[in-house]
Amino acid sequence: MLLRSSLFLVLMSSSLPSNSQDVIYDEAKVPPYTLPDPLRFEDGAPVANLEDWKKRRVELMDLFANQVYGKTPIGRPEAMRFEPRKKITTFLGGKATLEEIRIHFSAEEKGPFLDLLLIKPNQIPESGVPTFLTLNFGGNQTLHPSPEISLSTAWVRSSAGDIKEGLVLDSRATEKSRGSAISRWPVEKLIDAGTALASFYYGDIDPDFDDGFENGIHALFGKPKPDEWGSIGAWAWGASRAMDYLETDKTIDQKRVAIFGHSRLGKTALWAGAQDERFSLVISNNSGCGGAALSMRCFGERVGRINTAFPHWFADTFTRYNENEAALPVDQHQLIALIAPRMVYVASAVEDEWADPKGEFLAAKNAGPVYELLGKKALGADEQPELNSSVGESVRYHIRTGKHDVTDYDWGQYIRAIRSL
Ligand code: GTR
């Protein structure tokens, strides 16, 4: 992959300017498309029963791995180990316990490693605590202002605004960044709802810039081949390694661990959720292109644009579909179907047109036949619901007022969802 750092800097802001003429924001301009059928094998034979689906699932997993996100070349590394580094039982005025665990991926002390933050209520039911495992953008310290949370020392991405506000200096988080993302992380509300929050900084796994895969875990496992993992695949792998740790914690309800991500990390949550069946709820918050939105609609952000702006996110093979979405062998409703029969939540925001809210809805809806085959309910809505009203059971969807973001409304729905498991 080429290093395109200057372009990268221009395109780095979290919501890209998208006024250019060639971006489709008009339903009338959406090209006609035929979605590939999740319940038909590649040779055209129908998928009629559970046995068939098991085989079809493998086919679809391979297609997403080979053509979209890249294959994940390694599972749990042999040398992986967990190092508990902090435990404070009096967090949030004594309501919660804060723990920090370093997950080392090799025998080397200096890395790569992932720092997992875990905040759990002190009242733990016998079945354990339902837990949101999440990836964050700016370091664990951005979730809450507490000085107890260790400041990330890793390279962090920064917008011009972050630099101006003094949240990032020389690509490192500053003390000022503590709690800077608090509006997206209602920590106390989660604790009061009887749920735990686990989170890690995604850059611990792979710093989010196109460096030709010299750093992060790619450095450890070797430069990816064209059909091997890009950064989204790597971040998803990191989520599974964090899950490996959560499995060792007896206070966590293993049947109720949700994987959550926003935007590019929503794409990551879906791919992690498709691959790792330990996640019983998969939450895609405003994930858009390469996430929950149907690529074939070509609405808002498109495959060619995402592969140009972020050449490191997907496998190189995905560039075959630049300006050529109709040739894709899969579309994102099939990714959602790979999560079945587990619960999936797709959330959109009405002002987030770049992410194609309607395409996100249609993907959730078109995953329905697989859920039904597996004895669960499909989304159960033909049209996008009213604003701020959640629909569905096993496949859930809402579109809320406002922009590309994570809000209290979103979390309210996710809490309801995890509790219903
Ligand atoms: C945008 C990108 C989107 C989305 C977003 C984000 O620039 O075009 O696909 O992932 O970034 O992650 O904030």
Side-chain angles (χ1 to χ4, degrees), residues 13-16 137 263-264 267 301 306 310 313 354 404:
S13 68
S14 63
S15 263
L16 278 180
F137 281 110
S263 205
R264 67 198 69 183
K267 310 180 208 296
E301 185 171 31
I306 206 167
F310 306 104
W313 282 4
W354 182 238
H404 187 72

Side-chain angles (χ1 to χ4, degrees), residues 16 23-24 35 38 58-59 63 84 112 120 151-152 166 209 213 225-227 239 247 265 328 371 404-405 414:
L16 278 180
V23 179
I24 298 177
L35 290 181
V58 173
E59 223 174 47
L63 285 169
K120 297 187 282 194
L151 187 70
S152 170
F209 63 95
F213 297 120
K225 302 192 180 79
D227 63 351
E247 273 189 323
L265 298 179
L328 273 162
Y371 276 82
H404 187 72
D405 200 356
Y414 306 151

